[in-house]
């Protein structure tokens, strides 16, 4: 992780993180989760916590480490998933300023969609599970990648009506898309799969609102417009 990403996690509201961890916070105080506390001795100030009884103190990351029993990296991942903070897999020092400000930098991603590549997991998901038409996959410029932990992702571009890239959605391909018979599929409250990885990731600033807007340019007056719930439903409609 880059230093600015770690600082982003540290700057998250400590009281809000405490509440997501299960603490009840009132008037900047809570019962300490680290000892048998009956009167609130756990206080928040300057975006840090301190227990005046047992002496535990720290910031959002150390609070997450201690409450969940995670190491530093795992705590950072949990915080990122809980607060929709994307830890970048692709680094571009020349664009670090834009990333700091939370702007979506389309130039970092356009090249991936100009020459799409589908790995084995992506092809299985799109063509065997979803039964999609290959022409639809090409039209939507779907591509795939694998992160440093070996997790495969489907990368989905979102364009505005003029064809400008405005957002990217990454879908984890390690999770089943549908529940298997006799077993209900579930993911954690943080949106993680059974393997501990997030189900979806969005780069900072991604505007993933209405999908497939460029198709509006192909419609003639009076032609029907079909609206689906999500992008995968859109692929199925187009394929049909």
């Amino acid at each position: 992780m880059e230093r600015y990403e770690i600082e982003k996690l540290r700057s998250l509201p400590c009281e809000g993180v405490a509440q997501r961890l299960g603490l009840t916070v009132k008037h900047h105080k809570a019962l300490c989760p680290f000892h048998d506390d009956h009167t609130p001795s756990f206080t928040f100030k300057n975006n840090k916590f301190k227990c005046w009884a047992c002496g535990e103190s720290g910031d959002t990351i150390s609070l997450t480490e201690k409450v969940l029993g995670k190491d530093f990296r795992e705590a950072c991942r949990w915080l990122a998933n809980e607060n929709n903070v994307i830890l970048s897999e692709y680094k571009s020092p020349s664009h670090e300023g834009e990333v700091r400000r939370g702007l979506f930098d389309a130039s970092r991603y356009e090249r991936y969609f100009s020459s799409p590549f589908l790995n084995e997991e992506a092809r299985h998901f799109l063509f065997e599970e979803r039964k999609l038409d290959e022409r639809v996959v090409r039209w939507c410029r779907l591509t795939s990648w694998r992160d440093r932990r070996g997790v495969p992702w489907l990368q989905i571009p979102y364009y505005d009506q003029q064809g400008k890239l405005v957002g990217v959605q990454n879908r984890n391909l390690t999770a089943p898309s549908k529940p298997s018979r006799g077993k209900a599929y579930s993911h954690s409250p943080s949106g993680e799969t059974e393997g501990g990885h997030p189900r979806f990731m969005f780069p900072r600033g991604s505007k993933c609102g209405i999908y497939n807007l460029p198709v509006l340019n192909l419609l003639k007056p009076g032609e029907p417009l079909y609206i689906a719930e999500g992008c995968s439903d859109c692929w199925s409609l187009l394929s049909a």
Side-chain angles (χ1 to χ4, degrees):
M1 288 174 287
E2 298 287 353
R3 180 172 297 177
Y4 75 86
E5 293 180 314
I6 296 174
E7 292 306 314
K8 175 71 173 178
L9 296 177
R10 283 205 172 102
S11 68
L12 292 170
C14 195
E15 291 188 31
V17 170
Q19 290 175 324
R20 286 181 178 270
L21 289 168
L23 278 67
T24 301
V25 180
K26 292 183 178 180
H27 306 298
H28 313 295
K29 293 182 180 181
L31 294 175
C32 180
F34 307 120
H35 75 279
D36 189 17
D37 196 10
H38 299 284
T39 58
S41 56
F42 202 74
T43 62
F44 300 89
K45 186 177 181 180
N46 297 326
N47 213 36
K48 293 187 177 181
F49 71 89
K50 181 176 180 178
C51 177
W52 295 94
C54 68
E56 288 284 357
S57 62
D59 55 24
T60 55
I61 298 178
S62 58
L63 178 63
T64 305
E65 288 181 274
K66 294 174 181 178
V67 173
L68 297 182
K70 295 179 177 289
D71 61 25
F72 182 84
R73 185 183 297 273
E74 291 174 335
C76 287
R77 186 192 301 170
W78 185 91
L79 280 170
N81 290 339
E82 276 291 298
N83 295 277
N84 295 320
V85 176
I86 305 304
L87 302 180
S88 304
E89 293 292 336
Y90 309 114
K91 305 300 179 185
S92 177
S94 62
H95 296 297
E96 187 171 305
E98 284 85 354
V99 175
R100 284 177 183 269
R101 292 192 296 270
L103 300 177
F104 178 67
D105 184 8
S107 64
R108 295 179 62 190
Y109 301 94
E110 286 172 336
R111 61 191 178 97
Y112 299 112
F113 304 113
S114 61
S115 301
F117 167 76
L118 297 177
N119 56 31
E120 181 180 350
E121 292 86 353
R123 297 188 66 84
H124 176 80
F125 172 74
L126 296 171
F127 301 128
E128 295 185 35
E129 289 188 25
R130 293 289 176 154
K131 310 295 183 183
L132 301 181
D133 190 311
E134 290 192 16
R135 293 171 295 176
V136 170
V137 174
R138 288 196 299 269
W139 160 259
C140 295
R141 304 186 195 180
L142 304 180
T143 188
S144 61
W145 59 289
R146 196 179 301 274
D147 65 23
R148 287 174 291 185
R149 296 164 294 180
V151 178
W153 297 85
L154 181 68
Q155 201 163 39
I156 306 161
Y158 279 69
Y159 298 95
D160 62 16
Q161 189 172 346
Q162 288 69 44
K164 177 184 176 182
L165 183 65
V166 294
V168 174
Q169 177 186 8
N170 294 288
R171 180 181 182 127
N172 192 323
L173 293 174
T174 61
S177 59
K178 297 180 179 179
S180 57
R181 182 173 298 178
K183 176 183 178 182
Y185 172 74
S186 63
H187 57 274
S188 70
S190 64
E192 293 183 350
T193 66
E194 293 174 343
H197 306 298
R199 186 86 183 273
F200 299 100
M201 291 198 306
F202 302 86
R204 287 185 183 85
S206 283
K207 296 180 180 179
C208 297
I210 300 178
Y211 180 72
N212 198 32
L213 282 176
V215 78
L216 296 177
N217 301 324
L218 304 179
L219 294 177
K220 299 177 181 178
E223 283 191 305
L225 172 64
Y226 296 91
I227 301 177
E229 181 180 2
C231 55
S232 59
D233 298 316
C234 180
W235 306 331
S236 296
L237 277 173
L238 289 169
S239 295

